[in-house]
Amino acid sequence: MSGPLAGIKVIEIGALIAAPFAARLMAEFGADVIKIEAPGDGDPIRKWRKLHNGTSLWWYLQSRNKRSIALNLKSADGIAIVKRLLEDADVLIENMKPGALEKLGLGWDVLHALNPKLTMVRISGYGQTGPYKDRPGFGAIGEAMGGIRYTTGEAGGVPARVGVSLGDSLASLHAVMGALMSVLRVKTGQGDGQVVDVSLVESVFNLMESLVPEYDLLGHVRERSGGALPGIAPSNTYPTRDGAYVVIAGNSNPIYKRLMAVIGRQDLADDPQFAQNDGRAAQAALIDAAIAGWTSRHPIEHVLAELEAADVPAGRIYSVADIVADPHYQARDMILRHTLPDGVEVAMPGIVPKLSETPGAVRWQGPALGEHTDAVLAQLGMTAADIARLRENGAVQ
């Protein structure tokens, strides 16, 4: 394998979203990711969302570049195989309930003694410690308790969620950051591996900007504000004459002046009380009304053209159809076409971030359950007879 993580061995004991997404990101950049799945049905995400010939299209994306081994973790032989895989692994990524691996004899004390250089990434709802650690926690709960749901939605309306599993994905990104920090420490000789404890709640909370100091010092509780960005103006979503919506971010001082010139409100541009953001934020409703008055008189293409010419950040709100058809997405290789096992071609998202010298790559789509079991066990030195015995006693599929 090639890529900046070539030579890094990752074992994934995860299901659904958080741990598998983190492992996928590492696999895209060259890590050898071995995904351990339960015999029978495997990762439940194989049947989530839209299916093609019985397999989730999300599965093909979420597990690309991984090797799948179907292993029974309820058997002594299965646990023995996990330990052998971890003897020379760099990273273990898991998102089981806190304490579950300990019950299997795979706690940190055991694994650290087995392989002092191992980094153990643990993703859970609330973290490995604290009074809530044993509660079940999904991404939706992380979003709720992390603060983002409270601030999302129309003013005075019901707290809303975005249409994707944001809490899980944010935990995945924090997990990868933590894993790479720990691996770098090991590879540069600064110390042994360590536990990376990632909480869904805390991953969301980490994005909540100045929420806490504003509350602590000023008693301010940030509320839902629809399409606006509270305390920063103007930055909102505005209607156009043809029934579309445009997002306009005119919140730096020079951009604000250019925006006011475009909409024909030089009086607002020149008013000294609007020279800085704090003054504009105090009168955000007035400024938003002026902008909406202009956008609502013109079709969206005219609005976007005028704002682009004035170097004012603006954009239409994209559906997936807009994304797939967009020439910029295509030029950046963000829409890639791949062939599924039955020969059908399908568009898949490209790889982020873009590295100039060691870019990520898609080598294969999500594998069949246990597709690599024999190859992985053979790499551990097992013979065909050994593998057959393990199948007979139900340790592997």
Side-chain angles (χ1 to χ4, degrees), residues 56-340:
S56 167
L57 290 169
W58 194 0
W59 163 259
Y60 288 118
L61 169 65
Q62 188 80 311
S63 298
R64 60 189 184 189
N65 296 346
K66 299 179 187 179
R67 295 195 285 168
S68 169
I69 175 171
L71 196 59
N72 183 2
L73 297 184
K74 296 180 180 179
S75 73
D77 283 337
I79 295 300
I81 292 170
V82 173
K83 290 181 177 179
R84 290 190 62 181
L85 288 170
L86 290 172
E87 284 177 357
D88 64 347
D90 297 286
V91 180
L92 166 64
I93 301 178
E94 64 97 2
N95 64 343
M96 301 178 75
K97 188 175 180 180
L101 283 184
E102 282 76 6
K103 291 178 182 177
L104 296 173
L106 297 172
W108 173 244
D109 55 343
V110 174
L111 299 184
H112 185 62
L114 177 71
N115 177 3
K117 296 188 181 300
L118 178 70
T119 291
M120 187 181 193
V121 180
R122 315 197 72 172
I123 307 174
S124 62
Y126 303 91
Q128 301 298 311
T129 62
Y132 301 161
K133 70 180 180 64
D134 294 324
R135 293 182 182 180
F138 274 26
I141 310 305
E143 294 164 26
M145 293 185 64
I148 201 166
R149 290 281 187 103
Y150 188 88
T151 61
T152 304
E154 292 299 322
V158 177
R161 73 170 299 169
V162 297
V164 295
S165 303
L166 184 63
D168 290 288
S169 298
L170 289 174
S172 302
L173 296 176
H174 284 87
V176 172
M177 286 191 292
L180 295 180
M181 291 176 198
S182 179
V183 169
L184 181 63
R185 177 175 184 261
V186 173
K187 296 297 184 182
T188 55
Q190 299 178 61
D192 288 343
Q194 59 191 297
V195 174
V196 178
D197 182 359
V198 179
S199 154
L200 295 172
V201 172
E202 292 161 3
S203 296
V204 174
F205 177 64
N206 199 30
L207 265 65
M208 297 310 296
E209 301 174 348
S210 56
L211 213 65
V212 168
E214 290 173 356
Y215 171 72
D216 186 58
L217 192 60
L218 306 175
H220 175 71
V221 176
R222 194 180 302 181
E223 301 286 346
R224 292 177 286 285
S225 57
L229 190 58
I232 300 174
S235 183
N236 211 331
T237 304
Y238 306 93
T240 61
R241 190 181 72 189
D242 47 357
Y245 290 90
V246 60
V247 175
I248 302 175
N251 42 283
S252 83
N253 298 338
I255 292 175
Y256 168 73
K257 287 181 175 293
R258 295 199 297 271
L259 172 58
M260 292 302 102
V262 170
I263 70 171
R265 292 300 303 268
Q266 196 63 42
D267 59 318
L268 296 179
D270 295 338
D271 192 326
Q273 70 172 319
F274 299 144
Q276 301 291 333
N277 178 72
D278 57 345
R280 295 194 296 270
Q283 295 288 334
L286 184 152
I287 296 172
D288 280 341
I291 298 170
W294 175 74
T295 60
S296 62
R297 296 196 301 271
H298 304 284
I300 190 168
E301 294 298 342
H302 174 85
V303 169
L304 291 172
E306 290 289 305
L307 294 174
E308 182 178 354
D311 202 21
V312 173
R316 68 174 74 242
I317 296 177
Y318 272 24
S319 70
V320 65
D322 297 318
I323 290 171
V324 171
D326 187 272
H328 188 81
Y329 271 87
Q330 294 169 5
R332 296 273 297 171
D333 291 327
M334 286 310 303
I335 306 297
L336 304 177
R337 300 204 69 83
H338 294 285
T339 303
L340 298 180

